[in-house]
């Protein structure tokens, strides 16, 4: 399956996300993305840095983070997962061995449904060595 097919079918196609993107784990290359969902290089660097931060609590937990031009309050920051909210919408970011998955959910979607969708694709890709 192509990277774009993962976006179209496994992420946005579930109805639990309205936008998504997949990047290499260094955050330097876009592998696939929804139309009009652009994560700026400096925003992605902030995400990559949050994964490298081994502090307790992580810096991103107090400062929040930006994705696609919007600031999100951090609600979860772990070694593999970073969740943020802005009002009733939010983002779920999952890191695998070789990729970073970014999914955006709108107000009408339950955060847990969106998180499960991105986390399950992350598990699948990790089982394939990605």
């Amino acid at each position: 399956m192509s990277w774009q097919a993962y976006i179209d079918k496994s992420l946005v196609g579930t109805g639990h996300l309205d936008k998504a993107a997949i990047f290499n784990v260094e955050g330097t290359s876009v592998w696939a993305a929804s139309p009009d969902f652009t994560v700026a290089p400096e925003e992605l660097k902030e995400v990559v840095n949050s994964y490298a931060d081994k502090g307790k609590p992580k810096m991103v937990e107090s400062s929040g983070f930006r994705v696609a031009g919007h600031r999100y309050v951090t609600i979860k920051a772990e070694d593999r997962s970073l969740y943020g909210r802005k009002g009733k919408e939010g983002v779920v970011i999952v890191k695998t061995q070789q990729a970073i998955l970014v999914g955006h959910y709108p107000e009408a979607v339950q955060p847990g449904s969106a998180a499960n969708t991105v986390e399950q694709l992350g598990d699948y890709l990790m089982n394939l060595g990605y």
Side-chain angles (χ1 to χ4, degrees):
M1 188 181 290
S2 72
W3 293 112
Q4 191 62 47
Y6 285 120
I7 296 286
D8 298 338
K9 294 180 178 164
S10 301
L11 295 174
V12 176
T14 65
H16 298 145
L17 302 165
D18 61 350
K19 298 178 247 184
I22 301 174
F23 302 90
N24 69 337
V25 76
E26 295 84 12
T28 58
S29 177
V30 181
W31 289 355
S34 298
D36 301 323
F37 188 58
T38 304
V39 181
E42 60 272 10
E43 294 172 338
L44 204 49
K45 182 175 171 133
E46 191 175 6
V47 169
V48 169
N49 289 344
S50 77
Y51 286 121
D53 182 358
K54 300 300 178 197
K56 301 260 187 223
K58 292 181 177 230
M59 185 72 91
V60 73
E61 291 178 88
S62 61
S63 63
F65 60 96
R66 296 183 73 79
V67 169
H70 299 280
R71 176 153 295 286
Y72 293 89
V73 174
T74 304
I75 57 174
K76 179 179 181 178
E78 296 180 349
D79 290 342
R80 173 187 141 138
S81 305
L82 179 62
Y83 297 2
R85 288 194 70 170
K86 179 178 76 90
K88 293 185 179 186
E89 65 184 72
V91 292
V92 177
I93 305 172
V94 174
K95 178 182 162 224
T96 69
Q97 296 156 353
Q98 297 183 39
I100 295 175
L101 313 175
V102 181
H104 176 273
Y105 61 90
E107 290 184 20
V109 173
Q110 291 294 321
S113 297
N116 285 339
T117 298
V118 182
E119 294 282 0
Q120 287 174 0
L121 180 57
D123 289 343
Y124 175 76
L125 291 174
M126 287 182 70
N127 286 335
L128 294 177
Y130 284 100

